Amino acid sequence: MSLSIKDARIFSVALKNARKKRKLTQAECAELLGHSVSFQKDLERCRCSTSIEGFYHICRTLNISADDCIFQDEYDRTGSTYQTLLRLLPRCDEKALAALAAAAAVLADVGPDNQPVETSKDITSSQT
């Protein structure tokens, strides 16, 4: 079973960005991943897809978030602030994680149930 065109594009962009971030040529990246240069080029151009094992190997080797490839949304999860936060999370205890979750919910304007929260600004504008 092959990837849908949208999924292949998402993966190809992630692969190309990860390769460029590591300052690798396509040939160097292909060697690192253990496949041919032509396969590397085809992956980056959405001309083919890889097996689940290959996908896993590429994601692990190039530090690509498999979640970002599978659960694509409009947010960039490759930025340094996001990655720093991910590295710090395992060091937090349950109380710290609860505080972070509450702060993130406020900043994202969502409640604990991930539903949008009506802010005082929303209430004021709906009353006029």
Side-chain angles (χ1 to χ4, degrees), residues 40-54:
Q40 178 72 27
K41 289 179 179 181
D42 286 345
L43 282 174
E44 289 188 18
R45 292 181 184 144
C46 298
R47 292 186 180 162
C48 69
S49 61
T50 187
S51 66
I52 190 68
E53 294 85 5

Side-chain angles (χ1 to χ4, degrees), residues 18 21-22 57-66 78 83 87:
K21 186 176 181 179
R22 292 182 71 162
H57 174 67
I58 291 168
C59 288
R60 294 280 297 191
T61 304
L62 296 178
N63 197 27
I64 296 171
S65 167
T78 59
Q83 294 301 319
R87 282 191 296 278

Side-chain angles (χ1 to χ4, degrees), residues 98-119:
L100 286 170
V106 169
L107 292 170
D109 288 330
V110 296
D113 56 356
N114 278 336
Q115 297 300 314
V117 173
E118 193 173 284
T119 63

